[in-house]
């Protein structure tokens, strides 16, 4: 499957044409660049596999000439957020590249638990009777008790990490530099040059720390979990965010910094 299978679909083309006709000339932001793109901040919620629809949303927004200065998300939204941040600079279109990648992903590969876990997930998606579901469920109790999830999530982490590295983003520092690239001629509509506030992170991936029962925002709070946060693989932030309770085990971080260290 190719990205054009989606972008050139009649329904999608008709929708984009209709939006350009009805919304053409409207102002969506007071921040623009030399190419006439308008810039907004984008925040995306979760939704499991339905989070794939978020890529469709960003594609349509890009078609309308909208670009993103800062992005944020949680769970499935964090996946699209880090790809929007990492697969190109803010001025560049990224959605078609993301669509191309997702079109060639075998989502079943992310079900990477043991044979009992895979059998249970298979039973879930095939609408089994209660007896079958109960029998399969008894066989994965140990997964839930000891690992707090059916699947370790290693295959997902490996896929996302390799994708980002292929695009030149292997560390949190490289991701920050990529999304912080200032578009040519970035300014307000009244002509004032605009430089993004460097005191605020252009990326916010929200996760939950189940040990302390608190909300965590990466990469802003990465120093609480890693000694060298700038060198951390940003795919780990997403893995922490999309740890679906019961389905994916929580991300476990070893050797967490303790207090003030010399």
């Amino acid at each position: 499957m190719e990205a054009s299978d989606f972008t050139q679909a009649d329904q999608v083309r008709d929708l984009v044409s209709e939006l350009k006709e009805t919304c053409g000339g409207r102002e969506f932001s007071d921040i623009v660049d030399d190419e006439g793109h308008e810039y907004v901040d984008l925040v995306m919620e979760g939704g499991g596999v339905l989070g794939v629809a978020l890529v469709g949303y960003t594609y349509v927004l890009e078609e309308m000439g909208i670009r993103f200065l800062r992005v944020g998300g949680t769970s499935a939204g964090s996946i699209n957020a880090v790809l929007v941040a990492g697969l190109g600079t803010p001025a560049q279109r990224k959605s078609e590249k993301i669509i191309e990648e997702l079109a060639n992903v075998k989502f079943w590969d992310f079900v990477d638990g043991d044979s009992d876990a895979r059998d249970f997930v298979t039973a879930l998606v095939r609408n089994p009777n209660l007896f079958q579901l109960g029998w399969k469920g008894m066989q994965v109790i140990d997964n839930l008790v000891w690992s707090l999830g059916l699947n370790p999530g290693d295959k997902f982490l490996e896929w996302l990490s390799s994708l980002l590295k292929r695009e030149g983003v292997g560390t949190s520092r490289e991701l920050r530099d990529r999304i912080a690239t200032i578009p040519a001629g970035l300014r307000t509509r009244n002509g004032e040059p605009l430089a993004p506030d460097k005191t605020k992170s252009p990326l916010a991936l929200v996760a939950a720390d189940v040990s302390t029962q608190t909300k965590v925002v990466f990469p802003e709070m990465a120093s609480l979990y890693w000694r060298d946060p700038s060198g951390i693989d940003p795919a780990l932030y997403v893995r922490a965010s999309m740890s679906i309770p019961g389905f994916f085990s929580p991300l476990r971080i070893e050797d967490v910094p303790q207090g003030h260290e010399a």
Side-chain angles (χ1 to χ4, degrees):
M1 185 175 179
E2 298 180 356
S4 58
D5 293 328
F6 169 80
T7 60
Q8 299 303 312
D10 291 341
Q11 256 186 317
V12 175
R13 296 178 65 179
D14 290 345
L15 173 61
V16 171
S17 296
E18 181 180 347
L19 287 172
K20 288 183 177 180
E21 183 177 340
T22 57
C23 300
R26 292 188 185 182
E27 295 181 359
F28 298 99
S29 172
D30 60 352
I31 301 175
V32 297
D33 66 9
D34 285 346
E35 300 296 323
H37 300 137
E38 301 179 76
Y39 287 82
V40 300
D41 294 339
L42 179 67
V43 180
M44 292 165 283
E45 63 181 0
V49 177
L50 294 179
V52 172
L54 295 171
V55 185
Y57 298 152
T58 51
Y59 170 76
V60 172
L61 290 173
E62 287 184 343
E63 280 289 300
M64 297 298 293
I66 295 175
R67 299 292 185 269
F68 316 110
L69 276 181
R70 294 185 293 183
V71 294
T74 187
S75 192
S78 71
I79 302 174
N80 197 45
V82 81
L83 293 177
V84 168
L87 267 58
T89 63
Q92 295 175 319
R93 297 171 58 103
K94 276 88 74 172
S95 293
E96 288 190 49
K97 187 181 294 186
I98 298 173
I99 293 170
E100 190 76 49
E101 294 296 336
L102 293 180
N104 292 287
V105 168
K106 295 180 180 178
F107 288 97
W108 182 254
D109 290 343
F110 298 153
V111 181
D112 57 350
D114 59 23
S115 59
D116 287 338
R118 292 194 296 273
D119 286 345
F120 180 69
V121 174
T122 300
L124 279 175
V125 300
R126 290 182 177 176
N127 298 316
N129 57 54
L130 290 178
F131 175 79
Q132 182 183 13
L133 189 58
W135 173 251
K136 295 292 184 182
M138 290 179 63
Q139 296 174 325
V140 296
I141 290 177
D142 58 330
N143 300 70
L144 299 175
V145 171
W146 297 108
S147 301
L148 302 180
L150 298 174
N151 303 286
D154 295 337
K155 292 295 184 181
F156 170 84
L157 179 60
E158 179 183 336
W159 167 76
L160 183 59
S161 178
S162 62
L163 172 55
L164 290 172
K165 288 177 181 176
R166 195 173 71 226
E167 294 293 327
V169 175
T171 66
S172 186
R173 181 189 305 107
E174 292 169 336
L175 180 62
R176 181 193 61 218
D177 293 343
R178 176 70 56 84
I179 194 174
T181 303
I182 300 176
L186 190 68
R187 61 187 182 276
T188 61
R189 287 189 181 276
N190 61 15
E192 295 181 11
L194 182 68
D197 186 352
K198 293 186 178 181
T199 64
K200 298 180 179 179
S201 174
L203 178 67
L205 305 179
V206 180
D209 186 328
V210 296
S211 297
T212 60
Q213 299 182 26
T214 55
K215 181 180 78 172
V216 181
V217 181
F218 293 123
E220 178 183 345
M221 301 170 67
S223 61
L224 298 177
Y225 298 88
W226 292 281
R227 300 176 190 280
D228 178 23
S230 63
I232 288 299
D233 184 344
L236 287 168
Y237 304 150
V238 180
R239 175 65 185 85
S241 181
M242 50 72 70
S243 299
I244 303 173
F247 191 83
F248 284 115
S249 301
L251 175 69
R252 298 177 185 270
I253 302 173
E254 305 292 340
D255 194 25
V256 174
Q258 302 293 320
H260 297 285
E261 299 184 1

